[in-house]
């Protein structure tokens, strides 16, 4: 295992990531109850032998809902990031490789978009697209694009003048070959690191949108929505809010710490 | 059992108090003058146009600023307002209202019969959106006999007419305001009510001050009333409990227990005819088949719904649109949860393997989606596979409301049987949304308008309800209580189950 993952934060990040990804993959199969089933005799209860994490206002099992909601929460973050990273990298690589006036035009537009905070930008896009999971995912992806483009472009710029790229140019390779074979594989490190950390933000923005009623809709078990639905009852049973809240925090922290460790391990000055 | 319920005895006590409070004059202490009452609410006061407004926080403002010809009292009977008395002809086709003398609008101009005529002509004008139109469409002509006398001639007899004139959206506006630009009515208030508008900020605070020329001597007691908007419910509750706010206009069921047990707080629970109804269109599959509608009716555990969604703060209903508060309401047969019977009905209707359905619920208020989700679960064993689709309220209004085949609606209580039926169920009802269009039902409701003989009306309303229960245009699973709360020093605050009249001129602060 790379050295960076043997530190406390690295291990924690990796552990949380495995836990969250495990829940997202196997969660619905592991749920002890039907996540939508009512247990009227056991509403708003704390943890017990029957309900390990307690129950909500309909007596629905919180553990089952949490496990059931893991895929929609985590894959939302992954999906939104993937889309944003894909689009952003493409734009960044084009701008970085092309240079000249095209680079200037693209980058000035992106600079303008970067001036708007990501959450605000997302809310703006959702307002146009309307609420719902798909729209929210697209909105986060769009909001991520300018930042990713900028990172991809600077990677490309630093690589474009390396000897092996100049050699390829001297060999007379076509420009798409140079971009795909010489530039991109070497620029991908920083992009992956940034993407991993962005998954954490995407999960949190997704949960925020769910909480605000702009993302997932009831009876979905998306975690942000779980917090929103439970908020009314937090004075009666704090577990209803704490369970999905802590889960969101754990998922975000997992990706964040993992991203940090990944960056350290890819940093030539630190990893040896 | 960890069911969370208000102990029945204390619930009854609260209800008894709610009924007793209207006799505020009889309280031991004499009302004290002065002070500012702060009311919190969680929905925007988007407009102050009396003719068309419908927001929960908009009604208290116009109840303070305007007067109707009549008003619904805390006992749900019509009481004098701008009209101090009225009489109807023996056949109930002509009503004459006598206005109070010397009443002026807030701008100082006198309020006379011509203002009343102008207001009713605006309500009846088909080009002007007016919520009261369907309830008052029996009016043939309205004329000013003299400055203080208004005579209505009706197309058909209608004994409850003085109740209809109390409609919350039929408050009297000045002839001058109605002749001007109607866009001004959204923000400019000129009424004859106990309080005058001082400042109106739809996003923050709306402040009204005492009308020194109010027509009831000595009232109002308060110097001013402020309406504070809290878009966040948790913030609203916290502010109320900390003592910054005197009255919390609407309390959520989930918070009621916590608020009512807080020191220094009077929580008020008024049984009401408010309901969430399942709309099933008669002209679309599969609900065009009565057996499918009945199957769903038997697939719902109504008491459980009251416990789960209303925290016990309501009463189970059995599909009668009229709650027990209505005079002509019949004893309604109970429909007990019976998934087996529902299953059999579904099979009989040609769906032996169950039915897959999409049920739409707007996300406001949250109760719609909660009821929908609960119905989905309860109806599962009966063979209904319901997919609940929640959506933003605006999308719902634009795409689903009065168009969709299966969705959740939510309505407040109306003042009369006639107003209830003509709001939703008659063929030409204002918000007809089922496609039921039953001529016999229409005729029965019309017959009740046409007679003043009590027994004939009781008979026709009974038949109308029986027909409604047999044909099942809606599933109505419960009646929701209206919940509000005030600080202990607030005296004389009460609510009517219709939740459109607030009597704030009788409220005073014991500080």
């Amino acid at each position: 295992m790379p050295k960076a993952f043997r530190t406390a934060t690295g291990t924690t990040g990796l552990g949380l990531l495995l836990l969250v990804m495990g829940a997202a993959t196997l969660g619905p199969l592991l749920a002890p109850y039907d996540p939508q089933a009512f247990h009227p005799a056991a509403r708003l209860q704390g943890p017990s032998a029957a309900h390990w994490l307690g129950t909500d206002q309909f007596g629905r099992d919180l553990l089952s809902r949490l496990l059931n909601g893991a895929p929609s929460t985590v894959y939302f973050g992954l999906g939104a990031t993937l889309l944003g990273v894909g689009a952003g990298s493409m734009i960044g690589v084009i701008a970085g490789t092309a240079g000249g006036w095209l680079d200037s035009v693209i980058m000035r537009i992106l600079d303008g978009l970067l001036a708007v905070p990501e959450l605000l930008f997302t809310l703006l896009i959702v307002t146009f697209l309307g609420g719902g999971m798909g729209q929210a995912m697209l909105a986060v992806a769009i909001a991520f694009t300018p930042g990713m483009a900028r990172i991809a472009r600077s990677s490309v710029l630093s690589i474009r003048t390396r000897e092996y790229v100049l050699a390829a140019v001297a060999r007379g390779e076509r420009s798409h070959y140079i971009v795909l074979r010489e530039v991109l594989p070497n620029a991908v490190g920083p992009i992956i690191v940034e993407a991993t950390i962005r998954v954490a933000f995407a999960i949190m923005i997704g949960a925020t949108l769910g909480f605000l009623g702009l993302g997932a809709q009831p009876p979905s078990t998306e975690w942000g929505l779980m917090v929103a639905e439970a908020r009314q009852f937090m004075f009666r049973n704090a577990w209803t809010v704490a369970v999905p809240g802590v889960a969101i925090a754990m998922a975000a922290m997992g990706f964040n710490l993992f991203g940090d460790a990944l960056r350290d391990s890819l940093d030539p000055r630190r990893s040896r | 059992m960890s069911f969370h319920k208000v102990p029945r005895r204390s619930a009854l006590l609260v209800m008894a108090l709610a009924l007793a409070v209207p006799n505020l004059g009889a309280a031991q202490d004499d009302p004290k003058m002065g002070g500012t009452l702060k009311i919190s609410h969680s929905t925007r006061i988007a407009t102050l146009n009396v003719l068309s407004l419908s927001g929960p926080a908009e009604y208290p403002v116009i109840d303070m600023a305007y007067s109707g010809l009549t008003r619904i009292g805390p006992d749900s009977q019509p009481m004098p307002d701008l009209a101090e008395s009225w009489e109807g002809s023996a056949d109930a086709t002509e009503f004459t209202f006598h206005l109070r003398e010397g009443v002026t609008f807030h701008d100082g101009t006198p309020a006379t019969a011509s203002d009343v005529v102008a207001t009713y002509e605006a309500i009846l004008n088909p080009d002007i959106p007016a919520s009261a139109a369907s309830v008052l469409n029996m009016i043939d002509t309205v004329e000013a006999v003299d400055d203080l006398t208004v005579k209505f001639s009706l197309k058909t007899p209608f004994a409850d007419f003085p109740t209809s004139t109390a409609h919350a959206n039929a408050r009297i506006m000045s002839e001058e305001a109605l002749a001007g630009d109607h866009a001004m009515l959204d923000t400019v208030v000129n009424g004859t009510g106990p309080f005058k508008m001082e400042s109106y900020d739809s996003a923050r605070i709306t402040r009204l001050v005492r009308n020194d020329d109010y027509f009831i001597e000595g009232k109002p007691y308060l110097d001013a009333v402020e309406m504070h908007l809290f878009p966040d419910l948790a913030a609203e509750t916290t502010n109320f409990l900390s003592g910054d706010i005197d009255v919390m206009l609407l309390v959520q069921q989930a918070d009621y227990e916590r608020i009512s047990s807080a020191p220094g707080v009077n929580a008020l629970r008024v049984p009401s005819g408010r309901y969430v109804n399942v709309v099933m269109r008669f002209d679309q599959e599969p609900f065009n088949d009565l057996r499918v509608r009945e199957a769903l009716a038997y697939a719902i555990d109504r008491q459980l719904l009251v416990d789960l969604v209303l925290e016990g703060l309501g009463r189970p209903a059995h599909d009668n649109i009229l709650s027990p508060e209505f005079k002509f309401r019949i004893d309604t047969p109970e429909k007990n949860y019976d998934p087996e019977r529902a299953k059999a009905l579904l099979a009989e209707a040609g769906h032996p393997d169950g039915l897959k359905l999409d049920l739409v619920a707007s996300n406001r208020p949250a109760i719609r989606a909660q009821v929908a989700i609960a119905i989905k679960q309860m109806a599962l064993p009966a063979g209904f596979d319901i997919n609940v689709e929640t959506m933003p309220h605006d999308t719902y209004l634009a795409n689903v409301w009065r168009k969709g085949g299966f969705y959740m609606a939510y309505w407040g209580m109306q003042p009369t049987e006639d107003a209830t039926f003509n709001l939703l169920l008659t063929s030409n009802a204002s918000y007809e949304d089922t496609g039921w269009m039953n001529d016999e039902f229409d005729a029965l409701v019309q017959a009740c308008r046409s007679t003043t003989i009590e027994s004939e009306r009781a008979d026709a309303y009974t038949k109308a309800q029986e027909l409604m229960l047999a044909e099942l245009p809606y599933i109505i699973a419960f009646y929701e209580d209206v919940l509000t709360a005030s600080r202990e020093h607030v005296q004389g605050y009460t609510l009517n189950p219709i939740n459109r009249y607030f009597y704030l001129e009788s409220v005073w602060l014991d500080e």
Side-chain angles (χ1 to χ4, degrees), chain B residues 113-131:
Chain B
S114 63
D115 298 303
V116 177
V117 172
T119 301
Y120 277 84
E121 280 175 350
I123 291 170
L124 297 171
N125 184 339
D127 296 333
I128 300 174
S131 315

Side-chain angles (χ1 to χ4, degrees), chain A residues 3 11 14-15 27 39 46 70 75 93 96 102 119-120 156 177 182 210 242 266:
Chain A
K3 207 175 179 183
T11 318
L14 193 63
H39 306 278
Y75 291 139
V93 169
L102 185 61
L119 181 57
L120 193 66
V156 168
Y177 172 87
E182 305 288 347
L266 289 176

Side-chain angles (χ1 to χ4, degrees), chain B residues 63-128:
Chain B
D63 190 55
M64 284 188 268
Y66 289 93
S67 324
L69 266 185
T70 52
R71 195 183 191 191
I72 302 292
D75 58 356
S76 292
Q77 294 304 307
M79 65 182 224
D81 206 7
L82 209 54
E84 59 183 352
S85 65
W86 58 85
E87 69 258 348
S89 62
D91 63 352
T93 55
E94 267 186 23
F95 284 84
T96 308
F97 291 83
H98 304 282
L99 307 187
R100 292 175 201 264
E101 215 179 323
V103 178
T104 57
F105 284 100
H106 295 156
D107 68 356
T109 57
T112 64
S114 63
D115 298 303
V116 177
V117 172
T119 301
Y120 277 84
E121 280 175 350
I123 291 170
L124 297 171
N125 184 339
D127 296 333
I128 300 174

Side-chain angles (χ1 to χ4, degrees), chain B residues 19-297:
Chain B
L19 296 173
V21 172
N23 304 317
L24 0 136
Q28 302 103 321
D29 298 320
D30 283 335
K32 291 180 184 145
M33 301 293 287
T36 298
L37 183 78
K38 290 182 186 165
I39 300 176
S40 71
H41 55 101
S42 56
T43 52
R44 229 159 60 88
I45 301 172
T47 171
L48 294 168
N49 184 341
V50 174
L51 293 173
S52 58
L53 60 73
S54 61
E58 290 159 4
Y59 282 111
V61 175
I62 57 158
D63 190 55
M64 284 188 268
Y66 289 93
S67 324
L69 266 185
T70 52
R71 195 183 191 191
I72 302 292
D75 58 356
S76 292
Q77 294 304 307
M79 65 182 224
D81 206 7
L82 209 54
E84 59 183 352
S85 65
W86 58 85
E87 69 258 348
S89 62
D91 63 352
T93 55
E94 267 186 23
F95 284 84
T96 308
F97 291 83
H98 304 282
L99 307 187
R100 292 175 201 264
E101 215 179 323
V103 178
T104 57
F105 284 100
H106 295 156
D107 68 356
T109 57
T112 64
S114 63
D115 298 303
V116 177
V117 172
T119 301
Y120 277 84
E121 280 175 350
I123 291 170
L124 297 171
N125 184 339
D127 296 333
I128 300 174
S131 315
S134 68
V135 173
L136 292 165
N137 61 8
M138 75 293 275
I139 297 173
D140 188 22
T141 59
V142 47
E143 57 177 309
V145 178
D146 58 46
D147 264 3
L148 296 177
T149 314
V150 184
K151 199 172 96 182
F152 290 87
S153 303
L154 310 186
K155 292 172 196 159
T156 56
F158 189 54
D160 285 337
F161 189 64
T163 305
S164 299
T165 53
H167 194 288
N169 293 92
R171 316 284 172 126
I172 305 305
M173 286 176 283
S174 76
E175 190 179 2
E176 196 189 331
L178 287 164
D181 180 5
H182 277 215
M184 298 288 284
L185 298 176
D186 283 333
T187 51
V188 179
V189 171
N190 186 26
T192 54
F195 294 93
K196 301 190 278 194
M197 185 61 70
E198 185 181 87
S199 60
Y200 165 51
D201 178 352
S202 74
R204 227 167 55 87
I205 297 174
T206 296
R207 183 179 155 91
L208 297 99
V209 293
R210 184 177 204 275
N211 172 15
D212 293 322
D213 300 320
Y214 185 52
F215 50 73
I216 297 176
E217 198 71 40
K219 284 188 178 180
Y221 304 126
L222 297 162
D223 285 339
V225 178
E226 290 177 0
M227 303 283 295
H228 291 248
L229 173 66
F230 289 88
D232 183 76
L233 286 168
E236 187 188 8
T237 310
T238 310
N239 265 274
F240 174 70
L241 289 177
S242 71
D244 291 346
I245 292 291
D246 302 304
V247 168
M248 192 168 162
L249 191 62
L250 282 173
V251 174
Q252 304 296 306
Q253 283 92 1
D255 294 329
Y256 186 76
E257 166 79 12
R258 187 161 69 100
I259 286 175
S260 59
S261 59
V265 168
N266 288 325
L268 197 61
R269 173 184 173 190
V270 184
S272 168
R274 183 177 291 263
Y275 54 86
V276 173
N277 53 328
V278 183
V279 179
M280 306 166 287
R281 279 208 74 93
F282 277 58
D283 48 13
Q284 289 176 24
E285 297 266 351
F287 289 111
N288 52 357
D289 190 327
L290 172 65
R291 289 168 298 193
V292 179
R293 299 196 295 276
E294 274 185 330
L296 188 60

Side-chain angles (χ1 to χ4, degrees), chain A residues 25-215:
Chain A
T25 318
L26 300 171
L29 302 172
L30 297 175
Y33 296 94
D34 173 356
Q36 307 294 358
F38 289 10
H39 306 278
R43 16 182 346 230
L44 294 170
Q45 283 189 350
S48 64
H51 303 282
W52 290 3
L53 294 178
T55 56
D56 72 0
Q57 73 271 24
F58 291 125
R60 296 179 294 197
D61 183 58
L62 283 175
L63 176 63
S64 303
R65 290 180 69 72
L66 192 71
L67 288 169
N68 192 266
S72 53
T73 310
V74 175
Y75 291 139
F76 173 92
L78 289 172
T81 310
L82 214 63
L83 283 173
V85 167
S89 305
M90 211 144 74
I91 294 173
V93 169
I94 290 171
T97 318
W101 66 269
L102 185 61
D103 182 30
S104 299
V105 170
I106 292 176
M107 290 325 287
R108 289 306 80 76
I109 293 172
L110 293 181
D111 283 347
L113 294 177
L114 271 175
V116 186
E118 262 161 24
L119 181 57
L120 193 66
F121 195 27
T122 315
L123 286 174
L124 216 71
I125 300 165
V126 169
T127 314
F128 279 113
L129 298 178
M133 266 316 231
Q135 289 91 327
M137 194 187 281
L138 196 61
V140 175
I142 295 172
F144 275 3
T145 302
M148 284 313 303
R150 189 151 261 289
I151 286 163
R153 176 179 171 272
S154 31
S155 278
V156 168
L157 283 185
S158 76
I159 286 161
R160 212 172 55 166
T161 51
R162 298 272 171 91
E163 287 83 353
Y164 56 84
V165 179
L166 295 177
V169 175
R171 283 205 305 275
E173 301 286 3
R174 292 194 190 154
S175 55
H176 74 260
Y177 172 87
I178 299 174
V179 169
L180 292 177
R181 285 303 175 86
E182 305 288 347
V183 178
L184 210 53
N186 293 291
V188 91
I191 296 175
I192 288 178
V193 171
E194 176 70 15
T196 313
I197 293 173
R198 269 175 193 271
V199 174
F201 287 106
I203 288 174
M204 288 206 287
I205 295 178
T208 306
L209 293 175
F211 179 79
L212 293 174
L214 298 169

